[in-house]
Amino acid sequence: MASTISINIVFSGGLELLFGNKRNHSISIPNFVPSDNSTRSTPSSSSSSTPPSDNDVPSTGAGDTKAADLEYLIYHLRDHLLKERPELFMENGTIRPGILVLINDTDWELEGEGSYQLCNNDEILFISTLHGG
Amino acid sequence: MSSCGNPTAEEEALMPRRLKFGKSKVCVKCRLKPGNIVIRHAVYCKECFSPMIDMKFRKALEPSVNASAGTSKRPRLKASGNLCLGFSGGLGSSILLDIVHNTYFSSRLPLDDSGKPRGGTNHPRNASVWPSCIVCYVEVCGTFAGMRDQTEDIRSVIQRYPSFDFVPLRIEDAFDDSWWTTVSGSSSIPRISLELGKEGLIADGLCVASQATGLTPVEALRSYLSSLPTQTAISSAIQNFTRVLILHTAYSRGSSHLLFGTSLTSLSIYLLSSISQGGGYAIHEELQEEWAPVTASSSRLSGALRVVRPLGDVTAKECAVYAWWNDIAVVGRDKQRRAILGIAGLTKDFVVGLEKDYPSTVSTIARTCEKLEPKDAPSGQCRLCQRPMQSGIQEWKGRISIRSFSDDKLAADLTHLPSSSRDNLDTSTPSELPPSLALTNFLCYSCHTTLTSRSSRGVKRSVSDVSSAAPLPTWVADHDLYEERLIGGGGLNKVPEEEMHDIVAEFLIDN
């Protein structure tokens, strides 16, 4: 059984500007990740100017793991893919209000939001709705 | 019913999070397929979602297409002029372009199995509702140095819709005589400026001084914006200029309808922001408006310009999903433009945050504003923002602020002041009011507040040998300003500096 899963990430609505102006990304993350969403031990798929931070979620103790979920993915993207302005992507430990998340073309609200467990070859789409009229 | 748990027995008794949708994940429309999107607690599948948005759009727009309502329940749609679309490059206006094109201007005439036009002869696609359509875009890179000009990016988007004519404008056109001549037909345009007080302070009384500034439109625009006291005022000014430029352009080109792609979210943000800046009187016009310039000498064949926001019941989330599922490209805005400062920016953060957890509340903001109506008829149109103007503004401001000491009781309380000072402060009768208040009577409450609000960070100090006058947009200096004797030497006399110094001499602190 593979120890990592491949995820396809798509950014739209101007959000790609925060990720090196690149809309499509393909990343690999471990099947099991720290419960406190710490991304320090996760190899990054591309260089990032934003240092990993675990200030948002308190540590539940060394060794606690969970199946990789969307909540962890958001931290991973912030710490390893985001090039600038992390406050425009994440707020209070979750995705910033105004950013829509689709999991395989389905609203993440229907899939359990951050607790959705990622599967191999999932396509996660982040669209910013903050462009206005 | 979910239980909150027993805090005394369990270490962590957390209340289960309330679902953001109804009981089932099946589409509420077709009740067959699993849902793909949740919109205000209702679940829709991908196939039912787009037609739902199209229907909302037509429901919001079509009742206002025909000049008169008529008696038919489903009248044939026929507008009295052409169509103008306001395009900003944002999400809503990109969707507006696509829906309008597909619904009213598509060259395809899909036929049903019997060979007849699909949708019937009365379907908008099969009859020409508007003979032509122009798309107006206002480039705002002239507001500040270093902003990127996006006109060509926008042009490439419009070119995908061959039925549409692109009309690019620039925000500095507000200070460009040639643009005003084109839209109004006025050939002689006086250049007027807004006289500021000493040291760059916005004066309590606004006056108009006719003088040639010698500035280019971009310089005049930046001079005006830099003279405004707050970031909120700058954001409002840019919005107002954009709106007035598009209104005049659409009207001058014979448009009967002007559509904006304002989503429900953007509309709610704008309504709250406008009310907080004193624009409550014109709230009804923000939802639906029939506009004509004050200077229109006779009514046009196409009548007044109807301003409609057909996406006013479509949230930003719905717009984003619609754009994604229909492959609609969104140009977006420059980084600097996206940073909205002041009250508008704070309101946006609040409403967007509210929409995440309480999506129905955003809709409530717009619906509540729909019910608001001013008590009296407007007394005219504001010179600056061209919105309806409430009567009695200055009288009301006079009642809520101390401007004179003509009240006997108040005068008695001030007996400790030297009599010469008390006399000089008495400005009780209107005929004794300084002429500098003349322009004030032609500004709405919101514009007056915008120009005279005090910045908490202090005021910009102007260089002594540089004129403190800020140029005004060309539409303010209309020909009938001469009739109002605001400019052209019509009986106005500026209060001499020595006289002003004498009035406040007792209160000046020696350096």
Side-chain angles (χ1 to χ4, degrees):
Chain A
M1 184 176 172
S3 59
T4 60
I5 49 177
S6 290
I7 306 292
N8 300 311
I9 310 291
V10 183
F11 297 109
S12 182
L15 209 51
E16 62 271 21
L17 295 172
L18 303 181
F19 293 89
N21 214 10
K22 193 178 163 196
R23 285 174 53 117
N24 297 288
H25 300 256
S26 187
I27 64 170
S28 295
I29 58 172
N31 277 332
F32 292 93
V33 297
S35 298
D36 62 356
N37 300 307
S38 170
T39 61
R40 287 186 185 277
S41 57
T42 309
S44 59
S45 54
S46 59
S47 61
S48 167
S49 61
T50 314
S53 168
D54 54 1
N55 292 333
D56 300 295
V57 178
S59 174
T60 57
D64 288 349
T65 58
K66 60 174 180 177
D69 57 10
L70 197 47
E71 186 187 18
Y72 172 82
L73 178 66
I74 293 170
Y75 278 91
H76 179 92
L77 293 174
R78 183 197 67 179
D79 294 341
H80 296 288
L81 240 63
L82 191 72
K83 303 296 183 192
E84 56 177 324
R85 305 292 301 274
E87 73 277 9
L88 296 183
F89 181 66
M90 268 189 80
E91 190 178 289
N92 295 329
T94 185
I95 206 80
R96 186 187 177 213
I99 298 178
L100 173 63
V101 184
L102 293 182
I103 304 169
N104 301 322
D105 241 12
T106 301
D107 194 343
W108 78 329
E109 290 178 8
L110 288 167
E111 303 284 16
E113 295 188 17
S115 59
Y116 167 80
Q117 288 188 7
L118 296 167
C119 303
N120 199 31
N121 293 324
D122 271 347
E123 182 180 88
I124 313 295
L125 167 68
F126 296 90
I127 312 177
S128 172
T129 65
L130 300 173
H131 271 307
Chain B
M1 192 179 222
S2 301
S3 167
C4 295
N6 186 358
T8 56
E10 300 165 23
E11 281 185 11
E12 291 180 3
L14 297 175
M15 184 172 178
R17 191 171 176 82
R18 181 170 53 92
L19 290 175
K20 288 190 178 178
F21 52 93
K23 297 175 187 175
S24 168
K25 292 185 184 182
V26 174
C27 175
V28 298
K29 224 162 159 53
C30 64
R31 299 190 189 276
L32 294 171
K33 296 176 186 166
N36 291 99
I37 192 78
V38 180
I39 302 295
R40 289 184 253 179
H41 306 287
V43 179
Y44 296 93
C45 67
K46 193 172 175 179
E47 289 72 23
C48 292
F49 175 76
S50 292
M52 186 261 296
I53 300 297
D54 291 338
M55 185 51 61
K56 274 192 190 179
F57 182 93
R58 289 179 56 191
K59 201 175 162 186
L61 172 60
E62 287 178 2
S64 61
V65 168
N66 290 350
S68 54
T71 53
S72 170
K73 283 185 183 177
R74 297 180 75 178
R76 190 183 182 93
L77 297 176
K78 188 66 184 171
S80 55
N82 63 34
L83 179 64
C84 178
L85 305 180
F87 187 74
S88 66
L91 184 58
S93 49
S94 301
I95 289 171
L96 174 76
L97 232 67
D98 201 71
I99 296 180
V100 167
H101 178 266
N102 292 340
T103 309
Y104 302 104
F105 289 92
S106 174
S107 58
R108 304 185 307 272
L109 287 177
L111 305 174
D112 58 18
D113 295 337
S114 62
K116 291 180 184 175
R118 194 185 298 169
T121 51
N122 277 345
H123 193 280
R125 187 177 46 235
N126 302 327
S128 174
V129 180
W130 290 277
S132 62
C133 176
I134 60 170
V135 179
C136 285
Y137 165 72
V138 180
E139 176 53 57
V140 297
C141 70
T143 50
F144 302 108
M147 288 180 68
R148 194 173 73 88
D149 190 331
Q150 292 188 281
T151 307
E152 292 313 307
D153 295 339
I154 301 294
R155 191 189 301 275
S156 64
V157 169
I158 308 300
Q159 281 173 347
R160 294 175 206 165
Y161 304 97
S163 313
F164 296 163
D165 295 322
F166 182 43
V167 179
L169 303 169
R170 303 190 74 82
I171 196 160
E172 55 266 29
D173 289 345
F175 297 85
D176 190 348
D177 299 342
S178 59
W179 171 80
W180 183 243
T181 302
T182 305
V183 299
S184 70
S186 300
S187 53
S188 61
I189 303 150
R191 288 179 174 269
I192 64 169
S193 305
L194 184 64
E195 279 289 342
L196 303 177
K198 290 181 74 74
E199 299 178 345
L201 285 169
I202 297 288
D204 277 332
L206 306 173
C207 64
V208 171
S210 178
Q211 63 186 63
T213 60
L215 299 173
T216 64
V218 173
E219 290 168 348
L221 168 71
R222 292 182 183 176
S223 173
Y224 177 80
L225 292 178
S226 63
S227 71
L228 295 175
T230 59
Q231 285 295 337
T232 298
I234 294 173
S235 299
S236 288
I238 295 171
Q239 267 187 327
N240 281 338
F241 287 174
T242 302
R243 175 178 163 275
V244 176
L245 285 169
I246 293 178
L247 282 173
H248 278 287
T249 302
Y251 190 87
S252 68
R253 287 175 179 250
S255 298
S256 58
H257 294 81
L258 168 61
L259 307 187
F260 288 115
T262 315
S263 65
L264 173 62
T265 311
S266 296
L267 184 62
S268 300
I269 292 167
Y270 180 77
L271 290 171
L272 283 183
S273 171
S274 174
I275 290 171
S276 66
Q277 296 173 60
Y281 189 78
I283 281 300
H284 191 258
E285 274 68 27
E286 294 310 319
L287 296 161
Q288 193 153 7
E289 182 182 7
E290 290 198 12
W291 183 88
V294 175
T295 53
S297 53
S298 59
S299 57
R300 319 180 292 174
L301 198 64
S302 49
L305 180 66
R306 284 184 177 174
V307 183
V308 187
R309 290 170 173 80
L311 294 174
D313 198 33
V314 181
T315 62
K317 179 178 179 180
E318 292 171 271
C319 289
V321 175
Y322 186 94
W324 177 253
W325 282 343
N326 290 279
D327 293 322
I328 297 172
V330 179
V331 173
R333 293 181 191 144
D334 186 70
K335 274 184 189 176
Q336 276 179 293
R337 284 178 60 188
R338 279 189 278 123
I340 306 171
L341 301 175
I343 289 176
L346 294 170
T347 311
K348 182 176 181 179
D349 290 342
F350 167 69
V351 172
V352 169
L354 190 70
E355 193 175 28
K356 184 185 174 189
D357 292 321
Y358 305 99
S360 301
T361 308
V362 176
S363 156
T364 303
I365 294 171
R367 291 197 196 292
T368 303
C369 288
E370 266 180 55
K371 299 174 190 172
L372 299 176
E373 206 175 288
K375 279 192 218 173
D376 52 352
S379 66
Q381 198 179 72
C382 173
R383 287 278 166 204
L384 196 54
C385 68
Q386 313 247 307
R387 287 193 177 91
M389 194 169 66
Q390 189 176 8
S391 59
I393 294 172
Q394 295 311 312
E395 288 78 11
W396 181 78
K397 284 176 81 76
R399 286 200 299 273
I400 65 170
S401 55
I402 298 173
R403 288 185 173 182
S404 72
F405 299 97
S406 59
D407 184 80
D408 291 342
K409 181 179 181 309
L410 196 55
D413 289 342
L414 296 170
T415 51
H416 64 284
L417 287 178
S419 58
S420 57
S421 300
R422 273 182 280 138
D423 290 343
N424 285 338
L425 289 170
D426 189 354
T427 55
S428 54
T429 59
S431 60
E432 293 171 1
L433 284 172
S436 61
L437 288 175
L439 180 61
T440 305
N441 296 332
F442 296 92
L443 295 179
C444 66
Y445 182 77
S446 177
C447 285
H448 187 267
T449 304
T450 297
L451 293 175
T452 58
S453 57
R454 295 284 185 261
S455 169
S456 58
R457 296 182 182 183
V459 296
K460 195 178 77 166
R461 303 268 170 193
S462 64
V463 180
S464 58
D465 60 347
V466 172
S467 167
S468 60
L472 288 175
T474 51
W475 57 77
V476 177
D478 205 31
H479 66 87
D480 60 352
L481 275 184
Y482 287 111
E483 296 174 12
E484 303 293 348
R485 300 193 298 168
L486 279 178
I487 56 177
L492 287 187
N493 294 312
K494 192 176 173 186
V495 178
E497 193 171 311
E498 294 75 20
E499 192 177 324
M500 284 197 287
H501 189 273
D502 290 340
I503 291 171
V504 298
E506 294 286 338
F507 304 96
L508 290 176
I509 299 171
D510 294 330
N511 288 331

